Amino acid sequence: MHVPDGFINAPVSAIAGVGAAAAIAVSLRGARRELDEKTAPLAGLVAAFIFAVQMLNFPVAAGTSGHLLGGALAAILVGPYTGVLCVSVVLLMQGILFADGGLTALGVNITDMAIVTTVVAYTVFRGLVKVLPRRRSSITAATFVAALLSVPAAALAFTAIYSVGGTTDVPLGKVLTAMVGVHILIGIGEAAITALTVGAVIAVRPDLVHGARGLHAPLKLRVGGELVDAPAPEPVPAAARSTHKVRATFVVAALLLAGFFSFYASASPDGLEKVAHDKGIDTQEKKHATEDSPLAGYSVKDIGDDRVATGLAGMIGVAVTVGVGSGIFWVVRRRRGTAADATPTAVPQTEKV
């Protein structure tokens, strides 16, 4: 659903850019509360994993494909504020390095694909978790529904932006029907990928899933006819709390998806591209500013073997996204620690005997 340059006029694109910048500023502050010593290193890898999975377009209808948006996945794994940052990093890397998504439309894309999907998905997810039984299967089920609804919500958001800033004269009703219709189908794929990923992490390390925090109620014991809290379990050894295996799994999965499986992705246009072509929205599309970059189109130029060119571009994208994302989250986490150190602590008063 990457919006290219030319679909939305300059004033609306600028307003969307200002709004996106404000949301990122808020997310940077919010992410300080979400990131800790375990999730901060994971957040950059989640961004790289989303980048990799987005390269795998899957067929959803005749002549149309879809790909993961990632807002629901990021929000549930590492938190909604951090999730907005994860997807924004992915969109920034795609726009600059791979000419995917217009640079003047970057604010539109962040608003649509990072902010709307994350807010809608996490709101739906939290609402469902409150009413479902407190168990792991409930987290997976809530994840599926939240991810499913986040995609047509993004389609609605694009339609709303197009209604005030579209550069072509296409009836709004036709755009709305086509966008929502195809993106409900894409949402099914989004939901499946997101639920499988979150479910896999919960199965091995539920403590690393932001949306699963507080999943289990304190254990109760019946003593003398009354329920009392059971003794707290023994602390888990530091080695057992290591995130190395989970982080390594994300790295390997991202490299395999981007470096190997991406070559077999559907070549059909995605939902927005298909609707834009069928309805004539793409008549005002402008050439991308980085169209001639060495990685444009997710293929390394001057390499004759398409499989190698695509795989190498994917692995470069994963590496850059990990580097940029991890650097941002490390700084955010470090600033949280600095702020905590600067907070004055109360000096306990000596109790009089």
Side-chain angles (χ1 to χ4, degrees), residues 294-335:
L295 299 173
Y298 298 95
S299 179
V300 178
K301 283 184 171 49
D302 301 325
I303 293 183
D305 190 315
D306 290 341
R307 190 192 308 271
V308 175
T310 300
L312 185 58
M315 288 190 288
I316 292 173
V318 167
V320 173
T321 305
V322 167
V324 173
S326 297
I328 291 173
F329 298 125
W330 180 82
V331 171
V332 172
R333 168 64 181 157
R334 184 178 177 86
R335 291 191 65 182

Side-chain angles (χ1 to χ4, degrees), residues 11-25 104 106-108 111 115:
V12 173
S13 295
I15 292 172
V18 172
I24 289 175
T104 62
L106 183 60
V108 174
T111 300
I115 300 170

Side-chain angles (χ1 to χ4, degrees), residues 149-209:
L149 295 179
S150 70
V151 179
L156 282 171
F158 168 79
T159 305
I161 294 172
Y162 177 81
S163 69
V164 295
T167 55
T168 51
D169 187 16
V170 179
L172 186 61
K174 292 184 177 180
V175 176
L176 176 63
T177 302
M179 283 293 293
V180 174
V182 71
H183 283 92
I184 287 176
L185 298 177
I186 295 173
I188 297 173
E190 175 104 8
I193 295 169
T194 304
L196 286 171
T197 304
V198 171
V201 179
I202 286 179
V204 294
R205 289 295 301 270
D207 59 305
L208 295 181
V209 178

Side-chain angles (χ1 to χ4, degrees), residues 135-153:
R135 51 176 178 256
R136 293 179 183 180
S137 59
S138 298
I139 299 294
T140 305
T143 296
F144 185 94
V145 176
L148 173 62
L149 295 179
S150 70
V151 179

